Amino acid sequence: MHADDPLALLQKRLELRRCGGLARRLVSIGPATGARVVVEGRPVLLMASNDYLGLAGHLRLRRAAARAAEELGASSAASRLAAGTLDGHLALERQIARFKHAETALYFHTGYMTNLGVVSGLAGPGDLIVSDQLNHASLIDACRLSRATVKVYPHRDWRAAERLLAQGPGGGLKLLVSDGVFSMDGDLAPLARLLEVAQRQGALLVIDDAHATGVWGETGRGTAEHFGITPGPELVMVGTFSKAMGGAGGFVAGHRVVIDTLVNRARSLLYTTAPPPSQVAAAAEALKVLADEPWRRQKLHQLSARLRGNLTNAGFEVLSPAGPIVPVLVGGAEPAVSLSRALLERGVYAPAMRPPTVPQGTSRLRLAVSAAHEPADMDQAAQALQEARREVGL
Ligand SMILES: Cc1ncc(COP(=O)(O)O)c(C=O)c1O
């Protein structure tokens, strides 16, 4: 064996993670949808899925995906710019543009790839990106990939964002980038303020509505609708079909010049085989179900309020003020893992979120509510969490 054994080195690094309570492992869940699932052979109440509206198992989405696969095949078989753009891709993109009240839109394989493509497709060397401290990993990676100058502002601090944009360097494109709903904290970006900042500073504002699409706004169109904002040309709206929309794929909607730029420059759109027909068909159907079944969003918010009320009454520190992401602050990584394990023993699954996913000292259980849940599930989850807390001694 070589003195610099690479596997031994990796093993040592893994051990370091284990000691700090930071090692991760993959847990099998079956099936992936619904309120009750089986985790490692044990039936549990699932409080960890982003299937906020319960659409992942919806018959209409399943049928649409199956029909598309039967009629059109299992793959798009080429990249978008080669022979991979099917009628379904273009029809879905028109549907998304209408949904977001935007001029035009593009559909990607995943939300992660959308963020990579949008940010690194719009900004490059000589440009400036100003980014919220708690933005999702995909936006952070996208900023790095762009090779633009990147500055990070304290969470939701739009005044600091404005100062950083004003300081420059100027001369290139300016991008202000924020999650619309923060994935680990569940709180919302100050969208109206950010938009004013972008307008004053001559920047484009990229808002990632991965967790807002289908959830926020009167008809589930996202944070702009929630705040009563009519999208202007400087707003670049990102979203996913992988969470509330019960499918897969990401999208960007906005001004034609922005989208045309991405058709020319977004490498995660161009250098990969186009999303398969089944995925596209499920996404298109999800938009229709969203319009047909508004009760799902109403139920989701009612259930979320019930869980949040139960937990705050029991003395837990819940980080978000509203919505289906209900993060319960623990602090250290090891106690968070112990609490999650004790919760699982009581039949409720909510894994611990630890660094680097969240900042040091803010490990948490991220409970997520779905319209597939019932009110009694919210009571069961809160009750089990209280018992787990007693057992762990927190
Ligand atoms: C804020 C945010 N943006 C983007 C993504 C990536 O979306 P997708 O799962 O569709 O790749 C996620 C989660 O995965 C997210 O939480």
Side-chain angles (χ1 to χ4, degrees):
M1 194 182 294
H2 196 281
D4 296 326
D5 178 4
L7 295 180
L9 183 61
L10 291 177
Q11 188 60 37
K12 206 164 95 192
R13 289 178 184 170
L14 278 174
E15 293 306 331
L16 280 177
R17 279 186 157 254
R18 260 177 218 130
C19 292
L22 297 178
R24 286 122 183 259
R25 67 193 183 93
L26 299 173
V27 175
S28 104
I29 309 265
T33 62
R36 288 177 194 273
V37 296
V38 175
V39 173
E40 296 185 329
R42 182 199 310 236
V44 294
L45 172 64
L46 178 65
M47 296 298 301
S49 146
N50 292 323
D51 181 20
Y52 299 122
L53 296 177
L55 295 189
H58 199 295
L59 198 56
R60 279 175 59 183
L61 272 69
R62 287 155 61 177
R63 284 200 173 136
R67 205 179 307 121
E70 287 224 343
E71 286 172 7
L72 300 167
S75 170
S76 294
S79 68
R80 288 293 300 266
L81 283 188
T85 295
L86 310 177
D87 287 348
H89 292 113
L90 299 178
L92 174 61
E93 286 167 349
R94 285 193 295 274
Q95 217 181 330
I96 294 167
R98 278 197 302 278
F99 176 63
K100 297 299 286 185
H101 300 309
E103 226 172 30
T104 180
L106 271 179
Y107 177 70
F108 292 64
H109 284 80
T110 68
Y112 186 97
M113 288 169 79
T114 310
N115 280 335
L116 288 193
V118 168
V119 174
S120 69
L122 296 177
D127 295 333
L128 171 64
I129 304 176
V130 171
S131 170
D132 188 289
Q133 177 191 13
L134 293 189
N135 275 346
H136 186 254
S138 54
L139 282 175
I140 296 171
D141 294 353
C143 290
R144 291 176 182 150
L145 192 63
S146 74
R147 291 178 294 142
T149 300
V150 179
K151 296 181 176 181
V152 175
Y153 61 92
H155 183 46
R156 300 183 75 252
D157 187 345
W158 55 272
R159 291 187 184 86
E162 177 145 36
R163 279 194 298 278
L164 292 175
L165 280 169
Q167 277 165 15
L173 183 88
K174 292 180 195 166
L175 273 192
L176 178 54
V177 178
S178 175
D179 283 12
V181 172
F182 290 85
S183 54
M184 290 298 129
D185 289 59
D187 52 349
L188 274 64
L191 185 57
R193 294 295 194 183
L194 291 177
L195 204 53
E196 287 163 17
V197 168
Q199 284 161 350
R200 275 197 296 272
Q201 297 299 325
L204 288 177
L205 174 60
V206 177
I207 289 290
D208 175 7
D209 261 356
H211 293 273
T213 308
V215 172
W216 288 97
E218 183 72 27
T219 57
R221 286 174 157 78
T223 50
E225 185 182 35
H226 172 71
F227 288 114
I229 290 166
T230 307
E234 62 288 313
L235 188 57
V236 181
M237 297 173 285
V238 169
T240 58
F241 283 90
S242 57
K243 305 189 190 303
M245 306 303 278
F251 65 82
V252 55
H255 194 279
R256 184 163 298 282
V257 172
V258 167
I259 302 301
D260 285 349
T261 302
L262 296 175
V263 169
N264 284 275
R265 284 187 36 94
R267 296 169 69 87
S268 60
L269 176 86
L270 304 176
Y271 296 107
T272 183
T273 300
S278 54
Q279 182 182 328
V280 174
E285 193 62 25
L287 284 170
K288 293 182 195 153
V289 174
L290 188 72
D292 291 345
E293 300 183 5
W295 62 265
R296 289 180 179 271
R297 194 170 37 266
Q298 290 147 15
K299 182 180 178 192
L300 176 69
H301 285 286
Q302 281 162 8
L303 291 172
S304 304
R306 184 177 184 119
L307 178 63
R308 193 172 272 98
N310 285 344
L311 292 173
T312 46
N313 288 341
F316 287 102
E317 188 175 344
V318 176
L319 296 176
S320 64
I325 301 173
V326 184
V328 175
L329 184 67
V330 178
E334 279 165 339
V337 172
S338 303
L339 187 62
S340 169
R341 203 173 296 128
L343 191 63
L344 184 58
E345 277 157 20
R346 283 162 181 78
V348 178
Y349 184 58
M353 298 296 165
R354 296 160 281 161
T357 307
V358 297
Q360 283 291 343
T362 71
S363 290
R364 65 199 65 177
L365 299 198
R366 178 189 182 276
L367 276 68
V369 181
S370 167
H373 286 131
E374 295 304 331
D377 296 330
M378 304 298 99
D379 303 346
Q380 183 193 339
Q383 181 64 34
L385 200 54
Q386 286 179 72
E387 290 171 18
R389 176 174 61 178
R390 269 198 296 280
E391 182 193 309
V392 174
L394 284 172

